[in-house]
Amino acid sequence: MNDKKVIYLCGPIMDEHEGHAREWRDKATKELEKHFLLLDPMRRNFKDREVDSANEIVEFDLQDVRDADILLVNYNKPSIGTSMEVFHASFNLGKFIIGFSPFSFKDCSPWMVRFCTKILPSLEEAIAYIKENFVKLDHAEPSRKSRSTSSARK
């Protein structure tokens, strides 16, 4: 049984340079995959702006949002899709949403401020926040203190 929390990697794809859209997702996956299952919408090979795939793109992304426990949001620029995913996840589904953004608080959209649980200044800080608050400690392994106590008794 997989009891890992699921994180959806939410952020601009359309009108974003593919390298940039993929780069932060790859870094987040590398840093978080040990403790979480990550859902990356770029794993699907849809072509933006093709009419026959538009409904599929939205529905698959919404399914990922439904399946996620947490959204990790790249709020580096205004994005209709990102904003709609954040709103749906927060308002309709009550998900925990962690954004990272280069914008100062006063330059953030009040909608993103309202519907993100937390917005941090960088991906690295968002990853650290997730690890600090959502990684389950393995209680099967004795703590350092109990290991040193038990070895001191020998």
Side-chain angles (χ1 to χ4, degrees):
M1 184 174 136
N2 189 353
D3 62 348
K4 289 182 175 181
K5 286 198 179 291
V6 178
I7 299 175
Y8 176 62
L9 302 176
C10 177
I13 297 173
M14 232 169 116
D15 300 325
E16 180 76 285
H17 182 270
E18 183 180 332
H20 182 71
R22 192 171 301 284
E23 182 182 326
W24 77 266
R25 287 177 170 91
D26 288 346
K27 184 173 184 177
T29 298
K30 184 178 176 184
E31 292 289 326
L32 295 168
E33 68 186 347
K34 178 179 175 187
H35 298 288
F36 302 92
L37 176 64
L38 291 112
L39 299 176
D40 181 349
M42 294 187 73
R43 71 188 185 278
R44 295 185 274 275
N45 190 24
F46 289 120
K47 305 293 183 231
D48 289 334
R49 302 190 198 285
E50 287 184 8
V51 174
D52 61 340
S53 69
N55 288 331
E56 287 178 289
I57 291 169
V58 172
E59 191 50 46
F60 274 117
D61 290 351
L62 288 174
Q63 186 59 53
D64 283 350
V65 169
R66 287 188 290 268
D67 291 343
D69 299 300
I70 301 165
L71 269 67
L72 175 58
V73 181
N74 181 358
Y75 176 37
N76 66 334
K77 67 182 194 177
S79 164
I80 292 171
T82 300
S83 299
M84 293 185 89
E85 289 171 352
V86 167
F87 177 78
H88 177 63
S90 177
F91 189 80
N92 295 325
L93 304 175
K95 304 288 182 175
F96 204 99
I97 301 170
I98 302 153
F100 61 95
S101 178
F103 303 123
S104 67
F105 179 77
K106 68 180 178 62
D107 293 326
C108 285
S109 161
W111 284 81
M112 290 300 275
V113 171
R114 168 61 182 87
F115 291 105
C116 285
T117 312
K118 183 84 168 172
I119 299 176
L120 295 155
S122 69
L123 173 60
E124 294 75 19
E125 289 172 88
I127 288 169
Y129 181 87
I130 290 169
K131 286 180 177 179
E132 182 180 319
N133 291 285
F134 293 99
V135 171
K136 294 180 182 178
L137 298 176
D138 182 4
H139 296 292
E141 182 181 322
S143 68
R144 281 189 196 145
K145 185 176 181 182
S146 63
R147 276 192 299 230
S148 63
T149 305
S150 62
S151 62
R153 290 183 203 160
K154 292 181 182 179

